Each structure stands twice: as C-alpha cells, then as structure tokens.
C-alpha cells in the first residue's frame, strides 16, 4: 500500500480527495493542516511515498521557500496542489516539483495523476508541460542563436541574416546547424515552423 501525505488546510479539498482514495485499496492518505504538523508526520517511522503540498502554504515567496522544503525532505517526492494559473507555478516546476495537481481537476483525474507519480514518473497538466518545454527551449538558446532564430522565422536567407547581424555567412550557417540540433528538427524550414509553433519568437 502506498502512503500519501496531503499538506493542505483546505477542508473541502482534503475531505473530497480522502473520500475518493477510500475507494482505492492500495492508497492511504494522511493529512496535515500545516508545515509544522507535516514535519511531525515525516519524522515518524511510518514511511511516506509521496507528499502533496498546497502551494499557498509556502507563503507569498513560495519560489524561494520551496527549495528549502525540498532540502529538508530529500527522500520524498513533492507534488504541489495549485490553481495552475500563475507564472509562479511554472517556476516551482522548474525548481523541482515532482508534479502538479490542479484544484480544478476532477477527483478521478487527480487520483490517476497521483497513481502515475507513485510509479516514479513526474506529472504535469498538459498546458503546464508545454509551458515548461517552451521555457526550457528558450533558456537553452544563446542570444546569438535567438536572434538568428528570429530572422530565420521571418524568412530571411543566411546571407540576409548575416548582413542584419554583421556576421559572416559561414557563422550563420553554423548557428542554423545548432538550432536544427537543439530543436530536434531536420532542416531550416522546420526550424522556422518549430520556432513559431513553440512560441520561441
């Protein structure tokens, strides 16, 4: 049986998910209404397989507070219960959240997501997963590559891009090769399509 710790002071959500889990013989839910109460549970000998932490309990500076919580509990995967509407949620994903459970999800979907994370896989709602991929792609590009990508997506040739950027055409050809590799595509046309589709420009 898998043991899950829910850290959430919202009585309605906690009760609802507890009732939903009662129908699953392989899941046990333990609840804590504060971080202090959670520390007591986690220091007990009974193992916890997954932590579900309400994002709001981290306070207004949740992005700063979350790494500290992860450091204090390195043996436990920590997923966040969130409204998934703020850019803060994306930053918390990048900071090491094991998953995101949206409060707008149906209970069946939430249970399915929890079971998925218990297999050792991270879970994020599709829209957040896409946003994380875009952010990672943007962060992986150098300034020169980003500028090359912008010009390429406008339909400029290598020679025209070189003129715009004050570089040699051979340098631009090298930048395009790197973009093809980083974006996982086959040619410069696909680079432009990927750049627009992934909102990189």
């Amino acid at each position: 049986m898998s043991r899950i710790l829910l850290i959430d002071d919202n009585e309605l959500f906690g009760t609802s998910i507890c009732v939903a889990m009662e129908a699953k013989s392989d899941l046990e839910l333990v609840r804590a209404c504060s971080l202090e109460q959670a520390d007591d549970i986690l220091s007990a000998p009974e193992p916890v397989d997954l932590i579900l932490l309400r994002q709001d309990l981290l306070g207004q500076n949740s992005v700063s507070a979350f790494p500290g919580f992860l450091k204090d509990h390195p043996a436990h995967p920590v997923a966040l219960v969130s409204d998934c509407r703020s850019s803060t949620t994306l930053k918390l994903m990048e900071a090491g959240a094991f998953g995101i459970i949206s409060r707008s999800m149906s209970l069946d979907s939430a249970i399915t997501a929890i079971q998925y994370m218990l297999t050792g896989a991270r879970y994020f709602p599709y829209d957040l997963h896409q946003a994380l991929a875009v952010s990672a792609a943007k962060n992986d590009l150098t300034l020169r590559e980003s500028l090359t990508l912008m010009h390429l997506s406008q339909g400029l040739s290598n020679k025209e891009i070189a003129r715009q950027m004050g570089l040699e055409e051979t340098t631009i050809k090298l930048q395009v090769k790197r973009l093809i590799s980083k974006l996982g595509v086959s040619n410069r046309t696909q680079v432009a399509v990927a750049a627009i589709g992934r909102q990189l420009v």
Side-chain angles (χ1 to χ4, degrees):
M1 177 178 289
S2 298
R3 195 162 181 257
I4 298 134
L5 171 60
L6 173 65
I7 311 172
D8 193 333
D9 58 359
N10 185 296
E11 186 66 25
L12 179 60
F13 179 82
T15 300
S16 298
I17 202 164
C18 185
V19 170
M21 281 195 185
E22 285 179 354
K24 306 291 182 180
S25 59
D26 59 338
L27 300 178
E28 177 189 358
L29 183 70
V30 182
R31 293 177 59 188
C33 294
S34 67
L35 296 177
E36 292 74 19
Q37 190 177 358
D39 285 339
D40 291 339
I41 294 171
L42 291 167
S43 62
E46 294 85 357
V48 169
D49 299 294
L50 177 67
I51 297 173
L52 302 178
L53 170 62
R54 183 184 176 103
Q55 179 180 325
D56 295 347
L57 290 180
L58 292 168
Q60 292 185 339
N61 296 319
S62 56
V63 175
S64 300
F66 187 51
F69 184 87
L70 293 177
K71 185 177 180 181
D72 290 341
H73 307 289
H76 303 92
V78 182
L80 294 167
V81 179
S82 168
D83 59 14
C84 297
R85 294 176 183 171
S86 69
S87 59
T88 300
T89 304
L90 182 60
K91 292 177 182 177
L92 290 168
M93 289 168 61
E94 295 172 324
F98 199 72
I100 300 289
I101 299 295
S102 170
R103 289 200 288 264
S104 63
M105 294 172 72
S106 68
L107 287 175
D108 285 344
S109 295
I111 297 298
T112 299
I114 289 167
Q115 290 174 319
Y116 182 72
M117 287 186 284
L118 287 169
T119 68
R122 299 176 79 194
Y123 171 83
F124 301 110
Y126 179 76
D127 56 341
L128 285 177
H129 185 81
Q130 290 295 97
L132 184 61
V134 168
S135 176
K138 285 182 177 178
N139 291 338
D140 193 40
L141 297 180
T142 66
L143 176 58
R144 182 176 289 181
E145 287 168 345
S146 296
L147 290 172
T148 301
L149 186 61
M150 179 185 70
H151 292 308
L152 194 152
S153 66
Q154 293 170 348
L156 300 186
S157 67
N158 287 349
K159 183 179 289 187
E160 290 169 326
I161 295 173
R163 189 181 304 120
Q164 288 278 350
M165 296 177 61
L167 299 170
E168 295 293 330
E169 187 175 354
T170 52
T171 302
I172 299 303
K173 286 181 179 179
L174 179 60
Q175 295 298 316
V176 172
K177 279 187 177 181
R178 288 176 178 168
L179 288 168
I180 288 172
S181 176
K182 285 189 175 184
L183 298 181
V185 296
S186 302
N187 54 55
R188 58 180 288 123
T189 300
Q190 291 179 1
V191 167
V193 172
I196 295 170
R198 300 179 197 178
Q199 301 176 13
L200 299 178
V201 292

